[in-house]
Amino acid sequence: MSVFKIIKTEAHFGFLAPFGKHRRSSPPPCVTHSAANTSLPPSDFRKHPNMACADSEVDLEKIPLVALNMTVRKKLGLYLNPKHTVAADWMALAEAMGFTYLEIKNYEVSKNPTGTVLEDWQARSTEASVGKLLSVLSELDRKDIVEDLRHLINEDVRKYCDNLKKKAEPPLQVPEVDSCVPRTPERSGITVDDDPEGVPEMFDAFICYCQSDFAFVHEMIRELEQTDYKLKLCVFDRDVLPGSCVWTITSELIEKRCKRMVVVISDEYLDSDDCDFQTKFALSLCPGARSKRLIPVIYKRMTKPFPSILRFLTICDYTRPCTQAWFWTRLAKALSLP
């Protein structure tokens, strides 16, 4: 049986023991332990060349924050949401994660500020990981939280590793049996102007919109495609051929065919499952907005709160009369970047 490498730091916190400090039962698939000691600190996991989940070692710094399920996040809120005079609360956590004073003040209106901070952190930062979260809590002297939630975090990490292993296993069915796989080659026969035998059609931007905002999409086509900007937009209802799986084709277009994505934000957008999928998929391709891949656009007044997952991105706002004259120039310039 392969064993975990034992590493000790000043913290001496036990992480990734199977289900407790001294239990000797068989370890879960992603987590093994030595007979002598099972303590692994949250902030000093050593690197393994193959992602984060291996038979011999788990590097929590490479386990993304998305591995933590709702139970752990809610319990973190129970510890951090109340304002303490002595112990560090969610504000101290947000500050340690790099949020500004104004951003932290905006989070005060949230019913669960800890949960909101975690969601925004994993959307904006490439360093957002389970290991980094545990290190921050330890640095804030909230070792009580680390210790109390240790078994729950262990279980979430184990499940995440199990899911990675299952995805890496060969499929039981040949690809042709899956009805969601396009009948044509992956990069051809998707859009109206695709040449199945040649180079696939490429675009400057994918437009994420809901049907109620289609009039503004028409205006966007006129201003960006039919002017000197001569940009090429991917408008799903106009450019995509019918008959293929929506999610498969959308992922293909956003990831491989379009340099950027314009998100038309409105009250109706917030209720659209399609827009939610497209936005989160695009964000997953550029953590921390490194490539300026996603550009939010507001063209009419909103009654609902702006989506928190996009709050860290600069916005192109058509609702402000003082900046309308520059709106299309700024948007076209952003979409023209290499």
Side-chain angles (χ1 to χ4, degrees), residues 15-317:
F15 264 85
L16 296 177
F19 295 97
K21 291 183 179 178
H22 306 294
R23 184 168 177 174
R24 295 295 185 87
S25 58
S26 299
C30 269
V31 182
T32 54
H33 64 288
S34 69
N37 195 322
T38 60
S39 62
L40 287 175
S43 58
D44 193 26
F45 281 83
R46 294 298 177 253
K47 306 295 183 286
H48 190 281
N50 186 16
M51 276 295 292
C53 297
D55 288 337
S56 60
E57 189 172 326
V58 173
D59 182 359
L60 289 186
E61 293 291 341
K62 290 187 178 180
I63 299 290
L65 201 65
V66 72
L68 297 182
N69 289 320
M70 293 307 299
T71 300
V72 170
R73 293 170 186 257
K74 288 180 179 179
K75 287 185 179 294
L76 283 170
L78 293 177
Y79 281 101
L80 296 170
N81 285 342
K83 292 185 178 180
H84 295 286
T85 56
V86 179
D89 58 11
W90 69 269
M91 291 185 179
L93 179 70
E95 185 175 2
M97 289 175 172
F99 290 94
T100 65
Y101 168 78
L102 290 179
E103 289 174 325
I104 295 173
K105 292 295 290 183
N106 286 333
Y107 289 135
E108 286 185 315
V109 301
S110 174
K111 293 182 179 179
N112 180 15
T114 301
T116 306
V117 166
L118 291 176
E119 288 182 3
D120 286 2
W121 185 48
Q122 73 183 36
R124 70 188 285 179
S125 175
T126 57
E127 297 181 354
S129 67
V130 175
K132 182 63 176 178
L133 174 62
L134 297 176
S135 296
V136 171
L137 289 172
S138 181
E139 290 166 5
L140 294 175
D141 202 23
R142 293 310 306 265
K143 299 180 178 67
D144 57 319
I145 301 177
V146 175
E147 183 61 26
D148 288 350
L149 300 185
R150 177 173 60 85
H151 67 289
L152 293 175
I153 296 176
N154 283 350
E155 183 65 13
D156 282 353
V157 171
R158 183 186 67 79
K159 290 178 180 177
Y160 177 81
C161 291
D162 286 349
N163 288 333
L164 284 186
K165 287 186 175 183
K166 289 178 181 178
K167 291 179 180 179
E169 294 174 356
L172 298 178
Q173 297 178 330
V174 294
E176 288 73 17
V177 175
D178 189 352
S179 61
C180 286
V181 176
R183 300 305 182 193
T184 53
E186 185 182 18
R187 292 181 61 87
S188 63
I190 294 175
T191 61
V192 172
D193 292 334
D194 259 354
D195 179 3
E197 303 299 329
V199 179
E201 186 179 14
M202 307 299 288
F203 301 89
D204 292 301
F206 182 92
I207 310 301
C208 172
Y209 62 94
C210 59
Q211 293 300 315
S212 61
D213 299 323
F214 202 60
F216 180 73
V217 174
H218 274 287
E219 185 176 357
M220 191 179 297
I221 292 172
R222 288 194 301 270
E223 294 289 341
L224 299 178
E225 286 191 338
Q226 301 170 8
T227 59
D228 292 339
Y229 299 125
K230 295 181 180 179
L231 293 168
K232 191 175 181 61
L233 308 179
C234 181
V235 180
F236 199 92
D237 291 293
R238 180 192 68 176
D239 297 313
V240 176
L241 294 174
S244 298
C245 174
V246 172
W247 311 117
T248 302
I249 299 304
T250 300
S251 303
E252 161 74 11
L253 289 169
I254 294 174
E255 181 178 8
K256 299 179 181 178
R257 303 284 198 94
C258 301
K259 291 192 297 182
R260 284 173 176 78
M261 186 170 91
V262 176
V263 184
V264 181
I265 308 294
S266 65
D267 288 338
E268 294 77 14
Y269 160 88
L270 297 174
D271 298 324
S272 170
D273 291 336
D274 288 350
C275 291
D276 182 67
F277 168 78
Q278 294 166 11
T279 302
K280 290 179 178 177
F281 181 78
L283 281 173
S284 72
L285 299 175
C286 58
R290 288 173 298 175
S291 62
K292 300 180 181 177
R293 189 180 187 116
L294 198 148
I295 303 172
V297 168
I298 299 178
Y299 81 98
K300 63 181 180 181
R301 298 290 180 183
M302 296 177 62
T303 59
K304 298 179 180 179
F306 188 82
S308 61
I309 198 171
L310 300 177
R311 191 179 298 148
F312 68 97
L313 295 174
T314 53
I315 301 168
C316 218
D317 193 345

